[in-house]
Amino acid sequence: MQSVPAVEWPTVGLWLAIHGLFAAATWWHAAVPPWLLPLIGAPLVCWHASYQHEAIHGHPTRVGWLNAALAGLPLMLWVPYGIYRDSHLKHHENEYLTDPIEDPESFYVTPGEWALYSTPRRVLHRVVNALAGRLLIGPAFVAGLFLCREALKVVRGRADLRAWAMHAAGAGLLLSWVLLVCEMSLWTYLLCFAYPGTSLLLLRSFAEHHAAPEPEDRTAIVEAEPPFALLFLNNNLHVAHHDKPGVPWYRLPRYEAVRRLNTARPSERIYRGYREIARHWLFRAKESPVHPHL
């Protein structure tokens, strides 16, 4: 595999594009029709989250603190970069993929948890297992669940206070720009940028993992339409990403092409774009919320 340079200029250019477009969209938000603003804001927030994912895996430089600083502005508002980084690296322990106990990004629950859930909570889990539910209420669901878990960590004295302090500083900087300089209301930012941006991110992750007895069979590939491939920085090629997490976004399609020729498994799930996923599961639950192999 080709070595990664000390500074990945395509990713530096990506950072400049995302932040420049975000600054422009917020500065001139009042000139944008209300129906159009979320169509601009949501992709920018999602694109930034995709950039954060690149930073977690060591891009665009070999200097960890610099990568974290470049990725640290919390455009989604609800998740600190440091906690996202640590939980995502835990998610990459492939032997535990989808395990609701060990994988912090799993949407499954254990049979024991399910037995204790109230009927409304069971309904909620089933709703977010359909694509429409994941997109419409998924951001509130994942943010609420995350914040509840973080609150419990505070009570138990296990919170990552440094990550939250860095997050508070970044959120303060972001909101100073949005609310004071650009004179955008908080509700406008939440409804046109943060919430729908998180929703787009949940579109990418909706079908990328599923329970299976063998770890190698738990990850899927979505042959995304070109706009989504760029928006997700090719992370829709998720088998390739889990196979070699350090491959930068602009080399991942080539790596996937070679991997599929040489080492692809017959059991791999391949979706022909997000339209196929929507056809299957827009209003139908993709699977049971209860992990089938625990």
Side-chain angles (χ1 to χ4, degrees):
M1 186 174 64
Q2 189 178 1
S3 63
V4 176
V7 178
E8 300 167 39
W9 293 110
T11 308
V12 173
L14 177 74
W15 185 93
L16 292 170
I18 292 169
H19 289 79
L21 289 170
F22 178 81
T26 48
W27 177 257
W28 282 295
H29 75 278
V32 179
W35 63 268
L36 182 58
L37 192 58
L39 299 181
I40 297 171
L44 287 173
V45 170
C46 180
W47 210 15
H48 179 265
S50 298
Y51 175 86
Q52 287 185 314
H53 176 261
E54 286 292 301
I56 286 170
H57 290 290
H59 311 288
T61 77
R62 296 176 184 173
V63 182
W65 67 264
L66 179 57
N67 294 340
L70 290 172
L73 202 63
L75 299 195
M76 290 190 294
L77 283 179
W78 59 272
V79 58
Y81 172 77
I83 295 175
Y84 171 38
R85 178 194 59 220
D86 294 345
S87 67
H88 185 70
L89 293 176
K90 174 72 174 174
H91 164 75
H92 269 272
E93 296 177 6
N94 287 343
E95 63 185 300
Y96 298 121
L97 270 176
T98 76
D99 185 322
I101 299 172
E102 300 292 343
D103 181 359
E105 296 185 12
S106 176
F107 267 82
Y108 292 101
V109 300
T110 68
E113 289 172 326
W114 188 254
L116 296 174
Y117 285 171
S118 64
T119 298
R121 183 160 183 182
R122 289 184 178 188
V123 170
L124 181 60
H125 277 267
R126 289 192 176 105
V127 168
V128 297
N129 262 6
L131 183 59
R134 188 73 60 93
L135 298 180
L136 292 174
I137 66 173
F141 177 82
V142 297
L145 200 59
F146 170 78
L147 293 173
C148 285
R149 288 171 176 168
E150 287 299 306
L152 283 175
K153 289 181 182 178
V154 171
V155 171
R156 295 168 181 170
R158 294 165 48 197
D160 188 342
L161 298 180
R162 183 177 183 275
W164 276 107
M166 296 294 291
H167 179 72
L173 181 63
L174 171 67
L175 293 177
S176 294
W177 166 259
V178 170
L179 304 182
L180 302 180
V181 178
C182 300
E183 298 182 342
M184 180 190 296
S185 73
L186 180 60
W187 277 112
T188 298
Y189 184 78
L190 291 174
L191 295 177
C192 296
F193 286 79
Y195 195 96
T198 303
S199 181
L200 272 179
L201 195 64
L202 293 175
L203 169 64
R204 193 215 75 218
S205 65
F206 180 77
E208 69 187 17
H209 290 297
H210 49 271
E214 297 299 324
E216 295 82 2
D217 294 328
R218 297 174 189 168
T219 306
I221 296 165
V222 181
E223 295 178 336
E225 299 81 356
F228 285 118
L230 180 60
L231 186 66
F232 301 145
L233 299 182
N234 297 315
N235 198 24
N236 48 285
L237 304 174
H238 215 58
V239 172
H241 172 62
H242 270 263
D243 190 44
K244 290 288 184 183
V247 176
W249 64 277
Y250 54 90
R251 291 183 181 171
L252 203 56
R254 173 61 180 165
Y255 178 81
E256 167 60 15
V258 173
R259 185 202 67 83
R260 202 176 296 189
L261 283 174
N262 296 312
T263 61
R265 294 165 61 90
S267 56
E268 287 178 0
R269 287 193 191 182
I270 301 176
Y271 300 105
R272 309 298 178 187
Y274 291 97
R275 284 174 292 186
E276 178 183 344
I277 291 171
R279 282 197 302 271
H280 286 306
W281 297 302
L282 184 61
F283 298 114
R284 184 165 59 92
K286 181 165 66 77
E287 55 200 333
S288 168
V290 182
H291 198 287
H293 302 299
L294 292 179

